[in-house]
Amino acid sequence: MNILIFGPNGSGKGTQGDLIRQKYNLAHIESGAIFREHIGGGTELGKKAKAYIDRGDLAPDNITIPMILETLKSKGENGWLLDGFPRNMAQAEKLWKALQKENMSLDCVVEILLPREAAKNRIMGRRLCKKNNNHPNNIFIDAIRPKNDKCRVCGAELSARNDDQDEAAINKRHDIYYNTQNGTLAAACYYKKLADGGRTKYIELNGEGSIDSIRDALLSKLS
Ligand code: FE
């Protein structure tokens, strides 16, 4: 089973991706980790990518896509879940062509849908329990709203992560994600159209529910 997952920052993509990975025993292949592996391991492609990154540029697709394919082949023999790539329309087309060329199937594409404002609130409203990382609190989500500014589960102090409060950085990432002309949503749409041809299953999940309700919907649609 080879799966691609799309979802904006704040949609719970990581959590849901992890459930899919466990269910099918897949290799979770995340785009950032692919770069770290190739660059850290000093592969030929990694060296080329590093030259761009050292100059402050993004590595071009003709280096990134072969790196991804190598990792999918080496680590994803029993199936993979690719997360964080493609980010735009051009990459979506190139990845699809590359998979075809390698005779690799794309069995399923999962898209977590969440309006931009909701995604931003999810990130900016997130609060961390000082005693337990697994106590979810969010000042913008009724179901997990803190109680009297303390953890709703255990009553411990809460804090916000600096990254979560960097509105400019969140907006920048969401500008790319929510761009339906040539950004990530355009890439998702590209695969949705392919799926209409019957080669790939396309699963859309409403990301506005609780983590549990999204998981239940996901598991029932996958099986
Ligand atoms: Fe707590």
Side-chain angles (χ1 to χ4, degrees):
M1 180 79 113
N2 298 334
I3 302 178
L4 204 57
I5 187 165
F6 288 104
N9 275 93
S11 66
K13 175 167 61 90
T15 307
Q16 302 303 336
D18 212 45
L19 284 164
I20 302 173
R21 179 190 64 73
Q22 283 175 32
K23 182 177 162 83
Y24 296 106
N25 193 22
L26 304 174
H28 187 173
I29 294 173
E30 188 262 320
S31 60
I34 295 174
F35 275 90
R36 287 192 293 276
E37 196 180 292
H38 279 269
I39 292 172
T43 66
E44 281 309 307
L45 288 163
K47 283 179 200 162
K48 285 181 190 166
K50 189 173 183 297
Y52 284 91
I53 292 164
D54 285 348
R55 290 199 298 266
D57 294 328
L58 290 171
D61 294 340
N62 63 6
I63 293 173
T64 305
I65 290 182
M67 279 197 319
I68 291 172
L69 283 181
E70 264 189 27
T71 306
L72 294 178
K73 279 191 267 184
S74 65
K75 296 215 160 151
E77 273 179 43
N78 299 316
W80 43 259
L81 174 73
L82 180 59
D83 178 352
F85 193 92
R87 279 184 201 225
N88 61 46
M89 180 68 179
Q91 290 175 344
E93 285 183 55
K94 288 176 192 166
L95 178 67
W96 175 249
K97 284 182 184 146
L99 290 172
Q100 299 276 91
K101 205 173 164 189
E102 296 288 334
N103 254 326
M104 287 173 102
S105 67
L106 178 61
D107 302 298
C108 183
V109 177
V110 176
E111 180 190 353
I112 303 178
L113 293 98
L114 190 64
R116 183 165 178 164
E117 200 56 34
K120 190 172 168 178
N121 281 345
R122 285 240 165 146
I123 299 168
M124 298 198 75
R126 191 151 52 192
R127 295 294 178 269
L128 303 176
C129 169
K130 291 208 163 143
K131 283 194 179 150
N132 189 327
N133 278 334
N134 296 317
H135 291 170
N137 288 269
N138 192 305
I139 61 170
F140 295 126
I141 301 174
D142 284 338
I144 55 170
R145 202 181 292 275
K147 278 186 192 146
N148 304 319
D149 298 329
K150 299 280 198 295
C151 174
R152 46 177 266 284
V153 182
C154 71
E157 292 288 322
L158 295 172
S159 64
R161 254 175 48 189
N162 285 339
D163 286 1
D164 289 349
Q165 303 308 310
D166 187 344
E167 199 172 351
I170 296 166
N171 286 340
K172 200 174 164 193
R173 271 181 273 159
H174 281 170
D175 280 345
I176 298 167
Y177 189 85
Y178 286 98
N179 180 337
T180 55
Q181 293 303 306
N182 45 37
T184 313
L185 280 184
C189 188
Y190 174 82
Y191 290 106
K192 194 174 172 181
K193 284 182 189 148
L194 284 178
D196 285 341
R199 316 175 78 156
T200 301
K201 187 172 181 178
Y202 198 90
I203 294 177
E204 287 174 287
L205 292 171
N206 174 1
E208 286 188 286
S210 67
I211 289 176
D212 286 349
S213 71
I214 302 169
R215 180 202 57 207
D216 292 347
L218 174 61
L219 293 178
S220 76
K221 286 182 183 184
L222 275 172
S223 54

